[in-house]
Amino acid sequence: MALLITHKCTNCDMCLPECPNDAISIGEEIYVIDPLLCTECVGHYDTPTCQSVCPITKCIITDPDHIESTEALWEKFVLIHHSDKV
């Protein structure tokens, strides 16, 4: 599953430096998450760090358009971080 930043975002900049996959960037109005890079921190942390540092409740949610299994998230993690070693 990728995560999604909702319209509740206040652009506080707490999530951007926390993403280990560089999946978060500044969008036209609010921060956005690239679903191709988001692993929900699988491979790095037990829980998504962007959600844990966000001061707005339910601002970062599971993206209903990008549902993935834990196994798929692990595969994505390997591709992102180990593709140069394959």
Side-chain angles (χ1 to χ4, degrees), residues 26-59:
I26 300 169
E28 289 186 29
E29 296 180 26
I30 60 173
Y31 284 94
V32 294
I33 298 176
D34 182 342
L36 298 177
L37 294 175
C38 180
T39 63
E40 291 193 29
C41 290
V42 167
H44 295 282
Y45 306 109
D46 292 334
T47 59
T49 58
C50 61
Q51 286 180 328
S52 65
V53 300
C54 182
I56 309 298
T57 304
K58 297 190 180 185
C59 179

PDB file of all heavy atoms in Angstrom, residues 26-59:
ATOM      1  N   ILE A  26       7.132  18.210  -2.558  1.00  0.00           N
ATOM      2  CA  ILE A  26       6.228  19.348  -2.510  1.00  0.00           C
ATOM      3  C   ILE A  26       5.372  19.331  -3.777  1.00  0.00           C
ATOM      4  O   ILE A  26       5.893  19.328  -4.884  1.00  0.00           O
ATOM      5  CB  ILE A  26       7.016  20.664  -2.414  1.00  0.00           C
ATOM      6  CG1 ILE A  26       7.862  20.665  -1.149  1.00  0.00           C
ATOM      7  CG2 ILE A  26       6.081  21.863  -2.457  1.00  0.00           C
ATOM      8  CD1 ILE A  26       8.868  21.793  -1.074  1.00  0.00           C
ATOM      9  N   GLY A  27       4.061  19.283  -3.589  1.00  0.00           N
ATOM     10  CA  GLY A  27       3.144  19.314  -4.717  1.00  0.00           C
ATOM     11  C   GLY A  27       2.720  20.739  -5.022  1.00  0.00           C
ATOM     12  O   GLY A  27       3.285  21.702  -4.489  1.00  0.00           O
ATOM     13  N   GLU A  28       1.708  20.888  -5.860  1.00  0.00           N
ATOM     14  CA  GLU A  28       1.236  22.222  -6.224  1.00  0.00           C
ATOM     15  C   GLU A  28       0.638  22.966  -5.040  1.00  0.00           C
ATOM     16  O   GLU A  28       0.820  24.175  -4.916  1.00  0.00           O
ATOM     17  CB  GLU A  28       0.224  22.130  -7.358  1.00  0.00           C
ATOM     18  CG  GLU A  28       0.860  21.752  -8.687  1.00  0.00           C
ATOM     19  CD  GLU A  28      -0.127  21.816  -9.828  1.00  0.00           C
ATOM     20  OE1 GLU A  28      -1.090  22.615  -9.775  1.00  0.00           O
ATOM     21  OE2 GLU A  28       0.072  21.052 -10.792  1.00  0.00           O
ATOM     22  N   GLU A  29      -0.094  22.240  -4.186  1.00  0.00           N
ATOM     23  CA  GLU A  29      -0.730  22.879  -3.037  1.00  0.00           C
ATOM     24  C   GLU A  29      -0.283  22.293  -1.711  1.00  0.00           C
ATOM     25  O   GLU A  29      -0.160  23.019  -0.726  1.00  0.00           O
ATOM     26  CB  GLU A  29      -2.246  22.790  -3.161  1.00  0.00           C
ATOM     27  CG  GLU A  29      -2.796  23.556  -4.347  1.00  0.00           C
ATOM     28  CD  GLU A  29      -4.306  23.440  -4.447  1.00  0.00           C
ATOM     29  OE1 GLU A  29      -4.972  23.209  -3.421  1.00  0.00           O
ATOM     30  OE2 GLU A  29      -4.820  23.583  -5.566  1.00  0.00           O
ATOM     31  N   ILE A  30      -0.097  20.977  -1.679  1.00  0.00           N
ATOM     32  CA  ILE A  30       0.316  20.288  -0.461  1.00  0.00           C
ATOM     33  C   ILE A  30       1.387  19.269  -0.817  1.00  0.00           C
ATOM     34  O   ILE A  30       1.670  19.035  -1.985  1.00  0.00           O
ATOM     35  CB  ILE A  30      -0.882  19.574   0.219  1.00  0.00           C
ATOM     36  CG1 ILE A  30      -1.497  18.526  -0.731  1.00  0.00           C
ATOM     37  CG2 ILE A  30      -1.912  20.577   0.710  1.00  0.00           C
ATOM     38  CD1 ILE A  30      -2.573  17.655  -0.106  1.00  0.00           C
ATOM     39  N   TYR A  31       1.966  18.665   0.204  1.00  0.00           N
ATOM     40  CA  TYR A  31       2.941  17.609  -0.026  1.00  0.00           C
ATOM     41  C   TYR A  31       2.244  16.411  -0.664  1.00  0.00           C
ATOM     42  O   TYR A  31       1.053  16.179  -0.447  1.00  0.00           O
ATOM     43  CB  TYR A  31       3.601  17.183   1.284  1.00  0.00           C
ATOM     44  CG  TYR A  31       4.617  18.182   1.756  1.00  0.00           C
ATOM     45  CD1 TYR A  31       4.283  19.180   2.657  1.00  0.00           C
ATOM     46  CD2 TYR A  31       5.929  18.129   1.290  1.00  0.00           C
ATOM     47  CE1 TYR A  31       5.218  20.109   3.078  1.00  0.00           C
ATOM     48  CE2 TYR A  31       6.873  19.053   1.703  1.00  0.00           C
ATOM     49  CZ  TYR A  31       6.511  20.040   2.601  1.00  0.00           C
ATOM     50  OH  TYR A  31       7.440  20.949   3.006  1.00  0.00           O
ATOM     51  N   VAL A  32       2.986  15.664  -1.468  1.00  0.00           N
ATOM     52  CA  VAL A  32       2.441  14.489  -2.140  1.00  0.00           C
ATOM     53  C   VAL A  32       3.388  13.311  -1.931  1.00  0.00           C
ATOM     54  O   VAL A  32       4.577  13.483  -1.667  1.00  0.00           O
ATOM     55  CB  VAL A  32       2.234  14.729  -3.656  1.00  0.00           C
ATOM     56  CG1 VAL A  32       1.166  15.783  -3.885  1.00  0.00           C
ATOM     57  CG2 VAL A  32       3.526  15.127  -4.331  1.00  0.00           C
ATOM     58  N   ILE A  33       2.842  12.105  -2.064  1.00  0.00           N
ATOM     59  CA  ILE A  33       3.614  10.881  -1.922  1.00  0.00           C
ATOM     60  C   ILE A  33       3.599  10.137  -3.248  1.00  0.00           C
ATOM     61  O   ILE A  33       2.531   9.884  -3.806  1.00  0.00           O
ATOM     62  CB  ILE A  33       3.053   9.982  -0.799  1.00  0.00           C
ATOM     63  CG1 ILE A  33       3.143  10.711   0.546  1.00  0.00           C
ATOM     64  CG2 ILE A  33       3.798   8.652  -0.749  1.00  0.00           C
ATOM     65  CD1 ILE A  33       2.525   9.973   1.711  1.00  0.00           C
ATOM     66  N   ASP A  34       4.773   9.790  -3.736  1.00  0.00           N
ATOM     67  CA  ASP A  34       4.894   9.010  -4.973  1.00  0.00           C
ATOM     68  C   ASP A  34       4.615   7.555  -4.636  1.00  0.00           C
ATOM     69  O   ASP A  34       5.390   6.919  -3.913  1.00  0.00           O
ATOM     70  CB  ASP A  34       6.294   9.167  -5.547  1.00  0.00           C
ATOM     71  CG  ASP A  34       6.504   8.436  -6.860  1.00  0.00           C
ATOM     72  OD1 ASP A  34       5.709   7.522  -7.184  1.00  0.00           O
ATOM     73  OD2 ASP A  34       7.473   8.757  -7.553  1.00  0.00           O
ATOM     74  N   PRO A  35       3.515   6.983  -5.154  1.00  0.00           N
ATOM     75  CA  PRO A  35       3.169   5.601  -4.816  1.00  0.00           C
ATOM     76  C   PRO A  35       4.194   4.584  -5.326  1.00  0.00           C
ATOM     77  O   PRO A  35       4.263   3.468  -4.811  1.00  0.00           O
ATOM     78  CB  PRO A  35       1.810   5.388  -5.463  1.00  0.00           C
ATOM     79  CG  PRO A  35       1.719   6.429  -6.523  1.00  0.00           C
ATOM     80  CD  PRO A  35       2.540   7.592  -6.057  1.00  0.00           C
ATOM     81  N   LEU A  36       4.985   4.956  -6.302  1.00  0.00           N
ATOM     82  CA  LEU A  36       6.018   4.039  -6.810  1.00  0.00           C
ATOM     83  C   LEU A  36       7.204   3.945  -5.860  1.00  0.00           C
ATOM     84  O   LEU A  36       7.977   2.992  -5.918  1.00  0.00           O
ATOM     85  CB  LEU A  36       6.490   4.480  -8.191  1.00  0.00           C
ATOM     86  CG  LEU A  36       5.419   4.491  -9.282  1.00  0.00           C
ATOM     87  CD1 LEU A  36       6.001   5.025 -10.584  1.00  0.00           C
ATOM     88  CD2 LEU A  36       4.823   3.112  -9.473  1.00  0.00           C
ATOM     89  N   LEU A  37       7.346   4.918  -4.965  1.00  0.00           N
ATOM     90  CA  LEU A  37       8.464   4.917  -4.017  1.00  0.00           C
ATOM     91  C   LEU A  37       8.040   4.630  -2.578  1.00  0.00           C
ATOM     92  O   LEU A  37       8.879   4.309  -1.743  1.00  0.00           O
ATOM     93  CB  LEU A  37       9.189   6.270  -4.058  1.00  0.00           C
ATOM     94  CG  LEU A  37       9.902   6.608  -5.359  1.00  0.00           C
ATOM     95  CD1 LEU A  37      10.467   8.023  -5.296  1.00  0.00           C
ATOM     96  CD2 LEU A  37      10.993   5.602  -5.659  1.00  0.00           C
ATOM     97  N   CYS A  38       6.763   4.744  -2.282  1.00  0.00           N
ATOM     98  CA  CYS A  38       6.297   4.541  -0.909  1.00  0.00           C
ATOM     99  C   CYS A  38       6.191   3.055  -0.581  1.00  0.00           C
ATOM    100  O   CYS A  38       5.489   2.305  -1.259  1.00  0.00           O
ATOM    101  CB  CYS A  38       4.936   5.209  -0.707  1.00  0.00           C
ATOM    102  SG  CYS A  38       4.285   5.003   0.969  1.00  0.00           S
ATOM    103  N   THR A  39       6.890   2.649   0.473  1.00  0.00           N
ATOM    104  CA  THR A  39       6.797   1.277   0.968  1.00  0.00           C
ATOM    105  C   THR A  39       6.177   1.232   2.359  1.00  0.00           C
ATOM    106  O   THR A  39       6.259   0.218   3.032  1.00  0.00           O
ATOM    107  CB  THR A  39       8.188   0.608   1.034  1.00  0.00           C
ATOM    108  OG1 THR A  39       8.994   1.328   1.975  1.00  0.00           O
ATOM    109  CG2 THR A  39       8.858   0.565  -0.319  1.00  0.00           C
ATOM    110  N   GLU A  40       5.566   2.341   2.786  1.00  0.00           N
ATOM    111  CA  GLU A  40       5.038   2.471   4.140  1.00  0.00           C
ATOM    112  C   GLU A  40       6.129   2.166   5.163  1.00  0.00           C
ATOM    113  O   GLU A  40       5.881   1.630   6.223  1.00  0.00           O
ATOM    114  CB  GLU A  40       3.812   1.599   4.360  1.00  0.00           C
ATOM    115  CG  GLU A  40       2.612   2.074   3.590  1.00  0.00           C
ATOM    116  CD  GLU A  40       1.324   1.416   4.026  1.00  0.00           C
ATOM    117  OE1 GLU A  40       1.206   1.034   5.212  1.00  0.00           O
ATOM    118  OE2 GLU A  40       0.434   1.304   3.175  1.00  0.00           O
ATOM    119  N   CYS A  41       7.359   2.482   4.795  1.00  0.00           N
ATOM    120  CA  CYS A  41       8.560   2.297   5.618  1.00  0.00           C
ATOM    121  C   CYS A  41       8.938   0.834   5.837  1.00  0.00           C
ATOM    122  O   CYS A  41       9.821   0.540   6.652  1.00  0.00           O
ATOM    123  CB  CYS A  41       8.465   3.051   6.937  1.00  0.00           C
ATOM    124  SG  CYS A  41       8.543   4.843   6.728  1.00  0.00           S
ATOM    125  N   VAL A  42       8.290  -0.095   5.120  1.00  0.00           N
ATOM    126  CA  VAL A  42       8.710  -1.499   5.174  1.00  0.00           C
ATOM    127  C   VAL A  42      10.176  -1.548   4.751  1.00  0.00           C
ATOM    128  O   VAL A  42      10.579  -0.929   3.781  1.00  0.00           O
ATOM    129  CB  VAL A  42       7.834  -2.375   4.250  1.00  0.00           C
ATOM    130  CG1 VAL A  42       8.448  -3.742   4.041  1.00  0.00           C
ATOM    131  CG2 VAL A  42       6.431  -2.491   4.823  1.00  0.00           C
ATOM    132  N   GLY A  43      10.963  -2.262   5.526  1.00  0.00           N
ATOM    133  CA  GLY A  43      12.392  -2.354   5.263  1.00  0.00           C
ATOM    134  C   GLY A  43      13.205  -1.345   6.050  1.00  0.00           C
ATOM    135  O   GLY A  43      14.422  -1.455   6.128  1.00  0.00           O
ATOM    136  N   HIS A  44      12.520  -0.377   6.637  1.00  0.00           N
ATOM    137  CA  HIS A  44      13.198   0.658   7.417  1.00  0.00           C
ATOM    138  C   HIS A  44      12.703   0.710   8.862  1.00  0.00           C
ATOM    139  O   HIS A  44      13.495   0.697   9.781  1.00  0.00           O
ATOM    140  CB  HIS A  44      12.995   2.035   6.778  1.00  0.00           C
ATOM    141  CG  HIS A  44      13.620   2.171   5.436  1.00  0.00           C
ATOM    142  ND1 HIS A  44      14.968   2.369   5.253  1.00  0.00           N
ATOM    143  CD2 HIS A  44      13.078   2.119   4.197  1.00  0.00           C
ATOM    144  CE1 HIS A  44      15.227   2.450   3.963  1.00  0.00           C
ATOM    145  NE2 HIS A  44      14.105   2.307   3.296  1.00  0.00           N
ATOM    146  N   TYR A  45      11.392   0.834   9.026  1.00  0.00           N
ATOM    147  CA  TYR A  45      10.795   1.033  10.349  1.00  0.00           C
ATOM    148  C   TYR A  45       9.565   0.137  10.511  1.00  0.00           C
ATOM    149  O   TYR A  45       9.028  -0.370   9.537  1.00  0.00           O
ATOM    150  CB  TYR A  45      10.376   2.496  10.542  1.00  0.00           C
ATOM    151  CG  TYR A  45      11.485   3.479  10.283  1.00  0.00           C
ATOM    152  CD1 TYR A  45      11.466   4.298   9.154  1.00  0.00           C
ATOM    153  CD2 TYR A  45      12.566   3.590  11.152  1.00  0.00           C
ATOM    154  CE1 TYR A  45      12.492   5.207   8.910  1.00  0.00           C
ATOM    155  CE2 TYR A  45      13.594   4.488  10.911  1.00  0.00           C
ATOM    156  CZ  TYR A  45      13.546   5.289   9.790  1.00  0.00           C
ATOM    157  OH  TYR A  45      14.563   6.178   9.543  1.00  0.00           O
ATOM    158  N   ASP A  46       9.105   0.004  11.740  1.00  0.00           N
ATOM    159  CA  ASP A  46       7.925  -0.806  12.025  1.00  0.00           C
ATOM    160  C   ASP A  46       6.628  -0.130  11.583  1.00  0.00           C
ATOM    161  O   ASP A  46       5.652  -0.798  11.263  1.00  0.00           O
ATOM    162  CB  ASP A  46       7.830  -1.133  13.516  1.00  0.00           C
ATOM    163  CG  ASP A  46       8.941  -2.064  13.972  1.00  0.00           C
ATOM    164  OD1 ASP A  46       9.462  -2.828  13.133  1.00  0.00           O
ATOM    165  OD2 ASP A  46       9.285  -2.020  15.164  1.00  0.00           O
ATOM    166  N   THR A  47       6.619   1.192  11.595  1.00  0.00           N
ATOM    167  CA  THR A  47       5.438   1.953  11.186  1.00  0.00           C
ATOM    168  C   THR A  47       5.887   3.100  10.289  1.00  0.00           C
ATOM    169  O   THR A  47       7.035   3.535  10.363  1.00  0.00           O
ATOM    170  CB  THR A  47       4.684   2.530  12.403  1.00  0.00           C
ATOM    171  OG1 THR A  47       5.568   3.371  13.134  1.00  0.00           O
ATOM    172  CG2 THR A  47       4.155   1.435  13.304  1.00  0.00           C
ATOM    173  N   PRO A  48       4.996   3.613   9.463  1.00  0.00           N
ATOM    174  CA  PRO A  48       5.356   4.732   8.598  1.00  0.00           C
ATOM    175  C   PRO A  48       5.730   5.977   9.409  1.00  0.00           C
ATOM    176  O   PRO A  48       4.933   6.472  10.209  1.00  0.00           O
ATOM    177  CB  PRO A  48       4.090   4.975   7.780  1.00  0.00           C
ATOM    178  CG  PRO A  48       3.345   3.682   7.820  1.00  0.00           C
ATOM    179  CD  PRO A  48       3.652   3.113   9.171  1.00  0.00           C
ATOM    180  N   THR A  49       6.921   6.465   9.198  1.00  0.00           N
ATOM    181  CA  THR A  49       7.381   7.607   9.989  1.00  0.00           C
ATOM    182  C   THR A  49       6.638   8.887   9.644  1.00  0.00           C
ATOM    183  O   THR A  49       6.440   9.730  10.514  1.00  0.00           O
ATOM    184  CB  THR A  49       8.897   7.845   9.830  1.00  0.00           C
ATOM    185  OG1 THR A  49       9.197   8.048   8.456  1.00  0.00           O
ATOM    186  CG2 THR A  49       9.688   6.702  10.386  1.00  0.00           C
ATOM    187  N   CYS A  50       6.202   9.031   8.398  1.00  0.00           N
ATOM    188  CA  CYS A  50       5.474  10.249   8.046  1.00  0.00           C
ATOM    189  C   CYS A  50       4.199  10.365   8.879  1.00  0.00           C
ATOM    190  O   CYS A  50       3.864  11.451   9.353  1.00  0.00           O
ATOM    191  CB  CYS A  50       5.173  10.308   6.555  1.00  0.00           C
ATOM    192  SG  CYS A  50       4.145   8.964   5.922  1.00  0.00           S
ATOM    193  N   GLN A  51       3.513   9.236   9.067  1.00  0.00           N
ATOM    194  CA  GLN A  51       2.300   9.256   9.877  1.00  0.00           C
ATOM    195  C   GLN A  51       2.618   9.563  11.338  1.00  0.00           C
ATOM    196  O   GLN A  51       1.879  10.291  11.995  1.00  0.00           O
ATOM    197  CB  GLN A  51       1.572   7.923   9.796  1.00  0.00           C
ATOM    198  CG  GLN A  51       0.864   7.698   8.488  1.00  0.00           C
ATOM    199  CD  GLN A  51       0.164   6.356   8.446  1.00  0.00           C
ATOM    200  OE1 GLN A  51       0.612   5.379   9.045  1.00  0.00           O
ATOM    201  NE2 GLN A  51      -0.942   6.299   7.720  1.00  0.00           N
ATOM    202  N   SER A  52       3.717   9.031  11.842  1.00  0.00           N
ATOM    203  CA  SER A  52       4.030   9.217  13.258  1.00  0.00           C
ATOM    204  C   SER A  52       4.467  10.641  13.586  1.00  0.00           C
ATOM    205  O   SER A  52       4.276  11.087  14.710  1.00  0.00           O
ATOM    206  CB  SER A  52       5.076   8.210  13.727  1.00  0.00           C
ATOM    207  OG  SER A  52       6.297   8.418  13.073  1.00  0.00           O
ATOM    208  N   VAL A  53       5.025  11.363  12.630  1.00  0.00           N
ATOM    209  CA  VAL A  53       5.469  12.738  12.909  1.00  0.00           C
ATOM    210  C   VAL A  53       4.443  13.787  12.506  1.00  0.00           C
ATOM    211  O   VAL A  53       4.553  14.942  12.904  1.00  0.00           O
ATOM    212  CB  VAL A  53       6.819  13.060  12.241  1.00  0.00           C
ATOM    213  CG1 VAL A  53       7.910  12.142  12.734  1.00  0.00           C
ATOM    214  CG2 VAL A  53       6.724  13.050  10.732  1.00  0.00           C
ATOM    215  N   CYS A  54       3.430  13.402  11.752  1.00  0.00           N
ATOM    216  CA  CYS A  54       2.426  14.358  11.284  1.00  0.00           C
ATOM    217  C   CYS A  54       1.570  14.845  12.460  1.00  0.00           C
ATOM    218  O   CYS A  54       0.998  14.031  13.189  1.00  0.00           O
ATOM    219  CB  CYS A  54       1.535  13.728  10.221  1.00  0.00           C
ATOM    220  SG  CYS A  54       0.305  14.878   9.560  1.00  0.00           S
ATOM    221  N   PRO A  55       1.483  16.155  12.634  1.00  0.00           N
ATOM    222  CA  PRO A  55       0.695  16.676  13.762  1.00  0.00           C
ATOM    223  C   PRO A  55      -0.819  16.686  13.513  1.00  0.00           C
ATOM    224  O   PRO A  55      -1.593  16.922  14.428  1.00  0.00           O
ATOM    225  CB  PRO A  55       1.212  18.109  13.914  1.00  0.00           C
ATOM    226  CG  PRO A  55       1.646  18.494  12.539  1.00  0.00           C
ATOM    227  CD  PRO A  55       2.178  17.224  11.921  1.00  0.00           C
ATOM    228  N   ILE A  56      -1.234  16.395  12.287  1.00  0.00           N
ATOM    229  CA  ILE A  56      -2.658  16.428  11.944  1.00  0.00           C
ATOM    230  C   ILE A  56      -3.204  14.994  11.909  1.00  0.00           C
ATOM    231  O   ILE A  56      -2.715  14.155  11.163  1.00  0.00           O
ATOM    232  CB  ILE A  56      -2.895  17.083  10.562  1.00  0.00           C
ATOM    233  CG1 ILE A  56      -2.202  18.439  10.459  1.00  0.00           C
ATOM    234  CG2 ILE A  56      -4.385  17.182  10.260  1.00  0.00           C
ATOM    235  CD1 ILE A  56      -2.680  19.472  11.449  1.00  0.00           C
ATOM    236  N   THR A  57      -4.223  14.715  12.689  1.00  0.00           N
ATOM    237  CA  THR A  57      -4.824  13.391  12.764  1.00  0.00           C
ATOM    238  C   THR A  57      -5.429  12.993  11.420  1.00  0.00           C
ATOM    239  O   THR A  57      -6.154  13.772  10.810  1.00  0.00           O
ATOM    240  CB  THR A  57      -5.918  13.359  13.849  1.00  0.00           C
ATOM    241  OG1 THR A  57      -5.340  13.767  15.084  1.00  0.00           O
ATOM    242  CG2 THR A  57      -6.503  11.966  13.994  1.00  0.00           C
ATOM    243  N   LYS A  58      -5.100  11.800  10.979  1.00  0.00           N
ATOM    244  CA  LYS A  58      -5.607  11.221   9.739  1.00  0.00           C
ATOM    245  C   LYS A  58      -5.328  12.082   8.503  1.00  0.00           C
ATOM    246  O   LYS A  58      -6.113  12.098   7.559  1.00  0.00           O
ATOM    247  CB  LYS A  58      -7.087  10.899   9.865  1.00  0.00           C
ATOM    248  CG  LYS A  58      -7.357   9.845  10.921  1.00  0.00           C
ATOM    249  CD  LYS A  58      -8.769   9.360  10.890  1.00  0.00           C
ATOM    250  CE  LYS A  58      -8.936   8.311  11.987  1.00  0.00           C
ATOM    251  NZ  LYS A  58     -10.203   7.680  11.992  1.00  0.00           N
ATOM    252  N   CYS A  59      -4.222  12.769   8.506  1.00  0.00           N
ATOM    253  CA  CYS A  59      -3.809  13.558   7.350  1.00  0.00           C
ATOM    254  C   CYS A  59      -3.134  12.662   6.313  1.00  0.00           C
ATOM    255  O   CYS A  59      -3.261  12.885   5.113  1.00  0.00           O
ATOM    256  CB  CYS A  59      -2.862  14.671   7.789  1.00  0.00           C
ATOM    257  SG  CYS A  59      -2.257  15.692   6.452  1.00  0.00           S
TER     258      CYS A  59
END
